[in-house]
Amino acid sequence: MTVIIETMIILFLLLGVFLTLVAAFGVIRLPDVYTRNHAASKSATLGVMFILLSCFLYFYLIEGHFSSRVLLGIAFIFITAPVGGHLISRAAYHSGVKLWGKSVRDDLKNKK
C-alpha cells in the first residue's frame, strides 16, 4: 500500500511541476497580456494546487500528520488566483491595452 501512495504522491508532484513549467513557458512565449495572464493564472494555479495536494498527502498518509494549513492554502489559491487573473485582464482591457493582432473575437467591445 505504501508503494501505491508514494507513486500517487510522486505523480501529483510531477503533474504540478509540469503545469507550473507550462505556465512559465506560456508567460514567456504567448503574444499579448491577455493570453499571458491566462497562462499564468490557470496553469500556475493548477500546478501549485497539485504540488500542495502532494505535500498534504505525503504528510497525512506517510508521516501521519494532518495539516489544515495546506488545505486552507489549496482553497485560498483555488479561489483567489483565477479571480485575480480575471481582474488583471479586465483592468488591462479597460486601460486600453490592445488585443493580439490575430485575435478573432472581442466580447467586451460593445459593453463599455
Side-chain angles (χ1 to χ4, degrees), residues 56-78:
F56 173 76
L57 290 175
Y58 173 78
F59 282 111
Y60 184 63
L61 297 174
I62 303 293
E63 299 290 327
H65 175 71
F66 180 80
S67 177
S68 59
R69 290 180 184 176
V70 175
L71 289 178
L72 287 173
I74 292 171
F76 181 73
I77 289 174
F78 179 72

Side-chain angles (χ1 to χ4, degrees), residues 32-34 37 84-99 108 112:
D32 67 344
V33 69
Y34 305 107
N37 190 19
H86 175 76
L87 291 176
I88 290 170
S89 291
R90 284 283 256 208
Y93 185 83
H94 288 300
S95 67
V97 176
K98 299 291 182 198
L99 294 171
L108 298 175
K112 287 187 178 186

Side-chain angles (χ1 to χ4, degrees), residues 20-33 35-37 39-40:
T20 305
L21 188 65
V22 166
F25 283 132
V27 169
I28 293 170
R29 298 281 300 167
L30 291 173
D32 67 344
V33 69
T35 54
R36 288 178 184 166
N37 190 19

Side-chain angles (χ1 to χ4, degrees), residues 35-57:
T35 54
R36 288 178 184 166
N37 190 19
H38 180 77
S41 65
K42 305 298 187 249
S43 298
T45 300
L46 282 176
V48 170
M49 283 176 51
F50 275 123
I51 291 170
L52 286 176
L53 180 63
S54 67
C55 176
F56 173 76
L57 290 175

